[in-house]
Amino acid sequence: MQDFKSFSERLTNMDAWDFEDLALELFRFQISENEVYKSYVAARKIEVSQVKTLESIPFLPIRFFKDFPVVCGQEADFDSFYSSSGTTGVITSKHYVWSETWYLRHAQEIFEKKYGALDNYHVLALLPAYLERPGSSLVSMAKRFIKVSKSAHSGFYLYNQDELLEKMTSLGNDGRKVLLLGVTFALLDLAESGKDFAPMENLIVMETGGMKGRRKEMIREEVHDILKAFFGVESIHSEYGMTELMSQAYSKGDGKYTLPATMRVMLRDVNDPLSWSSRSQGGINVIDLANFHSCAFIETQDLGKYDENGLLEVLGRFDNSEIRGCNLMVQ
């Protein structure tokens, strides 16, 4: 546990140039302390002493979080975990949490570096599918944002669309910005409800992805066009995160994400998961240094690409991959 505290303190003061050194140090720590990761690397017959660059680090397939406790140390040392949303009958992932207090502070720091202090916002969270089950890291993060905003108007909403619209309208001329953080299907339900809504200059609409089996999958542009038309905003913001990651990335429009200092995305070949893509498009492998207590090197089932400016676009999921809670849109 002392190692966790040390890593957490170093991340707080991390310089961007330190990323590779810290990632390699974490690899050596986790190959020693994480039995699941150690066994996976051994099964691939990788010589640990030869792992000297980011490109040579092996990435753990994300499905391992469904079947095993992916932790450094013993499962009994962890008091709680976050679980993925999944769909009915699907076994969900578990990500054990070293310190929820640290995770929430980390999530707040990432958001505020991108958007400014939360006490400049009213935070309205439209997350019905997540509120209806325990263990959501997204709900925990939203609770933190609501609390830190110190606004009596901040809060959660389930399916009470009229109440939400009335609240938003009442805040239209407020000095603060209004952050509407919503799961995609619920935002679309609101936009297609036939209700009236007057545009607000101080409104930010942020979708977290996820149709949850409630609606057919749609391309991002179609979703964003519907939401922009209803809310009268020029762009739809997005949050990219998942249960298995402690860090989040944000997009201020067009589905193009900038990554926080603790995260890096590398693209693997879609036909050979053990090789890197020779193109700007491929499967998303994430290094999340904030996963120092579990596994910082995750092979996701997402597809992505980098644009000409180096911004990440999440294109959707691999065919036949399991439908999960966040960012289910394909294009």
Side-chain angles (χ1 to χ4, degrees), residues 72-83:
C72 293
Q74 301 298 317
E75 179 182 351
D77 295 333
F78 294 80
D79 295 329
S80 61
F81 59 83
Y82 289 126
S83 59

Side-chain angles (χ1 to χ4, degrees), residues 12-224:
T12 301
N13 302 301
M14 189 184 74
D15 188 291
W17 299 106
D18 296 333
F19 190 96
E20 183 164 0
D21 288 342
L22 187 51
L24 289 168
E25 184 179 341
L26 260 181
F27 166 74
R28 292 188 291 271
F29 171 72
Q30 293 181 342
I31 204 69
S32 171
E33 302 297 326
N34 186 321
E35 291 299 326
V36 172
Y37 187 49
K38 181 194 300 184
S39 297
Y40 172 72
V41 173
R44 283 184 51 186
K45 296 180 168 55
I46 292 172
E47 182 57 52
V48 173
S49 63
Q50 297 304 308
V51 177
K52 299 178 179 179
T53 64
L54 295 184
E55 289 75 17
S56 60
I57 293 175
F59 286 74
L60 185 73
I62 199 167
R63 66 178 180 271
F64 277 71
F65 282 83
K66 291 173 53 177
D67 300 321
F68 305 100
V70 182
V71 296
C72 293
Q74 301 298 317
E75 179 182 351
D77 295 333
F78 294 80
D79 295 329
S80 61
F81 59 83
Y82 289 126
S83 59
S84 61
S85 47
T87 55
T88 302
V90 172
I91 299 173
T92 59
S93 295
K94 290 183 179 179
H95 193 176
Y96 289 85
V97 183
W98 163 66
S99 166
E100 186 174 43
T101 299
W102 184 87
Y103 161 68
L104 295 175
R105 185 170 67 246
H106 177 62
Q108 179 184 340
E109 289 172 354
I110 291 175
F111 178 89
E112 292 188 329
K113 283 181 180 178
K114 183 78 173 179
Y115 288 95
L118 274 160
D119 58 10
N120 290 326
Y121 291 84
H122 303 293
V123 181
L124 310 179
L126 182 62
L127 304 170
Y130 294 88
L131 285 169
E132 293 165 337
R133 66 172 184 83
S136 166
S137 57
L138 178 60
V139 168
S140 292
M141 184 179 79
K143 284 181 179 177
R144 170 76 172 204
F145 288 7
I146 288 169
K147 179 181 179 180
V148 174
S149 74
K150 299 177 182 177
S151 165
H153 301 289
S154 294
F156 285 99
Y157 292 82
L158 282 165
Y159 300 101
N160 40 342
Q161 294 179 341
D162 290 332
E163 182 182 347
L164 173 59
L165 291 175
E166 288 174 7
K167 174 62 70 175
M168 293 172 66
T169 299
S170 71
L171 298 174
N173 296 317
D174 190 274
R176 295 193 188 196
K177 298 175 184 177
V178 176
L179 173 64
L180 176 60
L181 179 69
V183 63
T184 305
F185 83 82
L187 290 173
L188 284 170
D189 287 348
L190 180 59
E192 296 177 345
S193 65
K195 302 180 187 297
D196 295 325
F197 179 73
M200 301 164 49
E201 291 185 0
N202 59 337
L203 175 64
I204 293 175
V205 179
M206 180 179 291
E207 52 94 6
T208 67
M211 292 299 189
K212 301 291 297 168
R214 311 287 183 99
R215 302 176 63 109
K216 69 178 181 67
E217 299 301 324
M218 300 165 63
I219 63 172
R220 185 194 67 239
E221 288 87 353
E222 183 181 2
V223 170
H224 285 199

Side-chain angles (χ1 to χ4, degrees), residues 258-274:
T258 54
L259 304 179
T262 53
M263 182 186 288
R264 191 164 299 180
V265 166
M266 304 167 73
L267 301 179
R268 66 183 185 274
D269 190 297
V270 295
N271 297 311
D272 180 5
L274 304 185

